[in-house]
């Protein structure tokens, strides 16, 4: 009986294609969910941590992210992009919603000075949580392009907020952002 229980609880490692994962999750097959979590949670956690800069917050958000993925897999459109990109957008948007929430803003106001200074530093995504090497790719961008990507995608600034923060005309921000994204797209092509 003990041997049966051990075999029953053993997770068999299998590699699934993107289509197989989508099918399993759309059928609410827990194997698909476990596979997705085991293989993608570290990378999504890294993106979330970069945005919220709090391990506790990131742990809460990663759970919310996977619940959203599980519940909204029907909204995924293969034509618009890869599953991984869709999941990163869910993680990013969930993290941005979290840092814009009133409870987060109140917690931020109530932090002691040393905590506030620590959280304001630029935390980089560790290699452990960045298995696709995205932070290394970003390092290949010019400093101004990297700053725009950081402000827009990790800190949730709109283009008009970036314009105000950097004291730069909005049209210039839009042009530089477009150039930064085009350069990033080129770098990602070479990364495969």
């Amino acid at each position: 009986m003990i041997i049966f229980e051990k075999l029953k609880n053993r997770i068999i490692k299998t590699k699934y294609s993107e289509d197989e994962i989508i099918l399993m999750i759309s059928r609410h097959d827990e194997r698909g969910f476990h596979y997705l979590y085991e293989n993608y949670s570290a990378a999504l956690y890294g993106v979330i941590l970069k945005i919220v800069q709090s391990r506790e917050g990131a742990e809460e958000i990663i759970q919310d992210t996977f619940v959203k993925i599980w519940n909204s897999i029907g909204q995924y459109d293969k034509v618009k992009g890869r599953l991984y990109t869709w999941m990163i957008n869910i993680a990013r948007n969930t993290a941005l919603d979290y840092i814009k929430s009133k409870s987060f803003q109140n917690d931020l106001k109530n932090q002691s000075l040393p905590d506030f200074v620590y959280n304001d530093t630029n935390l980089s995504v560790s290699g452990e949580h960045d298995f696709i090497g995205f932070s290394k790719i970003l390092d290949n961008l010019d400093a101004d392009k990297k700053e725009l990507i950081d402000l827009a995608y990790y800190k949730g600034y709109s283009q008009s907020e970036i314009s105000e923060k950097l004291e730069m005309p909005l049209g210039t921000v839009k042009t530089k952002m477009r150039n930064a994204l085009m350069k990033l797209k080129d770098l990602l092509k070479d990364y495969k």
Side-chain angles (χ1 to χ4, degrees):
M1 192 65 149
I2 295 174
I3 294 172
F4 177 73
E5 286 298 315
K6 286 182 180 179
L7 289 174
K8 184 178 162 187
N9 293 327
R10 177 189 277 175
I11 297 174
I12 299 171
K13 295 267 184 181
T14 307
K15 186 167 181 162
Y16 296 106
S17 71
E18 191 171 282
D19 290 334
E20 290 171 322
I21 295 168
I22 294 165
L23 183 61
M24 283 191 290
I25 294 191
S26 64
R27 292 180 176 170
H28 292 304
D29 183 334
E30 289 184 20
R31 291 176 303 154
F33 181 81
H34 290 295
Y35 181 83
L36 204 64
Y37 191 85
E38 294 243 343
N39 289 283
Y40 294 96
S41 62
L44 296 179
Y45 181 84
V47 169
I48 292 166
L49 184 62
K50 176 97 173 152
I51 294 169
V52 299
Q53 299 184 0
S54 157
R55 293 198 186 281
E56 288 175 13
E59 288 169 8
E60 182 181 325
I61 294 166
I62 193 74
Q63 290 176 9
D64 290 347
T65 298
F66 275 95
V67 168
K68 286 179 181 180
I69 291 167
W70 179 258
N71 290 330
S72 62
I73 192 69
Q75 295 175 7
Y76 168 68
D77 185 355
K78 187 177 184 176
V79 174
K80 292 182 180 176
R82 298 190 51 149
L83 178 64
Y84 180 69
T85 306
W86 181 73
M87 292 189 313
I88 282 182
N89 283 328
I90 290 174
R92 178 184 166 273
N93 290 338
T94 303
L96 292 174
D97 289 345
Y98 176 82
I99 64 172
K100 290 179 180 178
S101 71
K102 287 186 179 184
S103 63
F104 178 79
Q105 294 299 322
N106 286 336
D107 288 347
L108 197 60
K109 289 176 186 174
N110 294 329
Q111 283 183 341
S112 65
L113 186 59
D115 288 342
F116 182 77
V117 171
Y118 172 73
N119 281 338
D120 196 39
T121 60
N122 186 10
L123 293 177
S124 63
V125 178
S126 70
E128 169 187 347
H129 300 297
D130 186 32
F131 72 87
I132 63 167
F134 195 68
S135 59
K136 289 181 184 173
I137 293 170
L138 284 177
D139 287 340
N140 291 319
L141 290 174
D142 296 335
D144 61 331
K145 289 179 173 71
K146 188 175 177 181
E147 180 181 29
L148 288 171
I149 299 283
D150 184 60
L151 288 171
Y153 291 94
Y154 290 118
K155 295 188 175 147
Y157 283 65
S158 67
Q159 289 183 338
S160 57
E161 290 170 330
I162 293 171
S163 170
E164 194 174 302
K165 179 173 178 62
L166 299 179
E167 298 176 355
M168 186 183 296
L170 181 58
T172 304
V173 169
K174 289 181 178 187
T175 301
K176 288 185 173 224
M177 181 63 78
R178 189 181 88 243
N179 291 339
L181 291 173
M182 288 172 54
K183 178 65 177 171
L184 185 59
K185 183 179 178 182
D186 286 342
L187 291 171
L188 287 171
K189 272 193 256 180
D190 296 338
Y191 182 70
K192 286 184 180 183

